[in-house]
Amino acid sequence: MTPTQYGADALIVCDSLVRIYQTDDVEVQALQGLDLLVDEGELVAVVGASGSGKSTLLAVLSGLDAPTAGRARVADWDLLAMTSAQRLRYRRTAVGFIWQQTSRNLLPFLSAAENVELPMAVVGVGRGERRRRAQELLDSVGLADRSGRRPAELSGGEQQRVAIATALANRPQVLFADEPTGELDRATGDEVFAALREVNAVLGTTVVIVTHDAGVSSQVRRTVAIRDGRTSSEVLRGEGGGPGREYALIDRAGRMQVPAAHRRALGLHERVRLELEEDHLGVWADDHDEEGVR
Ligand code: ADP
Ligand code: MG
């Protein structure tokens, strides 16, 4: 890898990702050249309306789906060049997932502790070590006293926290969560976010959450918005909390998306005047004299 390659230092790289779904006669472009870099240790939320490509992005990053074009890398794993054996190992040990449907994350006939132990059993971790680690993980999501309960005997928020512990069983570098609070009320959802923040801060696991809930930006330091299958803007919050500052993203071809509200407010469309100042760029509505140009 050359040092100048896009995202060389990042843990997760999506480089011009394209995913086209072809069904009978229609073609859906779920990802349209999406770029995203996530550094090791980050906790990032990706937000976007329903249909904007969030689940498709996570399906690619989790090794479930292959993009039509582009590049995707997580740590040393090239997601487009894995053999099926590597893909299996990647999914079992390098990454963890939490899905929106609480029922998809846990096996109903196993206790919380048995659910957490299962991924370790699959890769051959011994029984004593499994027990010890399952307790430790349940403890870290605040459920040490629920280890003997089955999913049906836990609240939705508790089930998602067991799901977090289960996803962390084999010490993945990255945790992916697709709408992990989608089926929960606000207060319970906030508990799940708190558990994800804790995991990120204490264990150092990189966490990527996708959600349609723009309110998530109050829960994380960095929020990336995706629109029409590509990243469009970012909100970064400072250390002390506070409202956060919004950034537009500029791609390597120099393209930038100006938010619709800004375009409306200033009547920006089709052509704008740009002026380079010492430390900023001025953007004005098209003000040229029709006669002078034509
Ligand atoms: P989100 O998770 O943001 O709601 P998705 O990634 O699920 O969005 O979907 C993005 C677009 O791709 C949507 O238009 C959706 O209908 C389409 N899509 C997703 N999965 C498939 C599929 N398996 N076959 C055809 N179209 C799909
Ligand atoms: Mg989705």
Side-chain angles (χ1 to χ4, degrees), residues 50-51 53-56 100 178-179 210:
S50 172
K54 304 181 299 292
S55 293
T56 302
Q100 173 174 357
D178 192 352
E179 310 263 9
V210 310

Side-chain angles (χ1 to χ4, degrees), residues 12-282:
I12 300 173
V13 181
C14 296
D15 183 352
S16 308
L17 272 190
V18 174
R19 177 65 169 104
I20 298 170
Y21 291 112
Q22 194 84 49
T23 50
D24 297 337
D25 45 322
V26 283
E27 187 178 90
V28 178
Q29 293 203 15
L31 301 177
Q32 306 189 34
L34 180 137
D35 294 334
L36 176 69
L37 300 181
V38 177
D39 285 334
E40 183 161 18
E42 272 198 283
L43 167 64
V44 182
V46 176
V47 300
S50 172
S52 57
K54 304 181 299 292
S55 293
T56 302
L57 171 64
L58 276 204
V60 169
L61 288 176
S62 61
L64 281 174
D65 186 31
T68 310
R71 196 164 64 91
R73 174 176 70 71
V74 175
D76 292 330
W77 305 82
D78 177 347
L79 302 187
L80 277 81
M82 288 193 289
T83 64
S84 50
Q86 286 169 332
R87 192 171 289 274
L88 195 61
R89 202 156 68 81
Y90 173 75
R91 296 180 44 77
R92 283 180 175 168
T93 63
V95 291
F97 323 93
I98 300 152
W99 307 104
Q100 173 174 357
Q101 302 90 333
T102 48
S103 56
R104 187 172 168 190
N105 292 314
L106 302 172
L107 289 173
F109 49 86
L110 295 182
S111 70
E114 287 164 343
N115 266 288
V116 182
E117 284 184 43
L118 189 60
M120 296 185 262
V122 169
V123 297
V125 176
R127 197 167 188 191
E129 170 62 11
R130 288 198 316 253
R131 291 246 159 105
R132 196 195 56 71
R133 180 147 174 83
Q135 272 312 312
E136 179 185 289
L137 284 166
L138 286 170
D139 191 26
S140 70
V141 294
L143 293 174
D145 58 342
R146 298 283 195 277
S147 61
R149 295 207 191 172
R150 292 183 184 186
E153 298 163 339
L154 297 167
S155 73
E158 288 171 342
Q159 288 178 38
Q160 287 305 65
R161 284 187 281 148
V162 175
I164 294 171
T166 303
L168 291 170
N170 289 327
R171 298 186 166 82
Q173 267 182 290
V174 188
L175 197 54
F176 293 114
D178 192 352
E179 310 263 9
T181 62
E183 291 185 353
L184 307 176
D185 61 46
R186 172 67 64 176
T188 314
D190 287 352
E191 275 173 32
V192 172
F193 277 120
L196 289 168
R197 275 198 304 270
E198 175 90 358
V199 159
N200 172 254
V202 175
L203 304 176
T205 312
T206 305
V207 180
V208 179
I209 303 164
V210 310
T211 172
H212 67 276
D213 179 8
V216 72
S217 61
S218 64
Q219 300 280 345
V220 298
R221 204 185 77 80
R222 179 179 173 213
T223 305
V224 179
I226 82 172
R227 184 177 301 140
D228 300 332
R230 51 166 82 188
T231 43
S232 62
S233 63
E234 259 188 60
V235 173
L236 296 181
R237 283 189 320 130
E239 287 307 320
R245 179 173 281 193
E246 184 158 357
Y247 294 84
L249 300 178
I250 186 160
D251 73 12
R252 277 159 293 154
R255 283 180 295 245
M256 194 180 90
Q257 194 166 41
V258 179
H262 293 20
R263 295 199 304 268
R264 270 197 308 273
L266 297 174
L268 306 176
H269 53 87
E270 205 169 330
R271 177 169 45 205
V272 296
R273 183 161 63 85
L274 296 180
E275 223 158 88
L276 182 61
E277 305 286 349
E278 206 170 308
D279 60 348
H280 72 279
L281 186 63

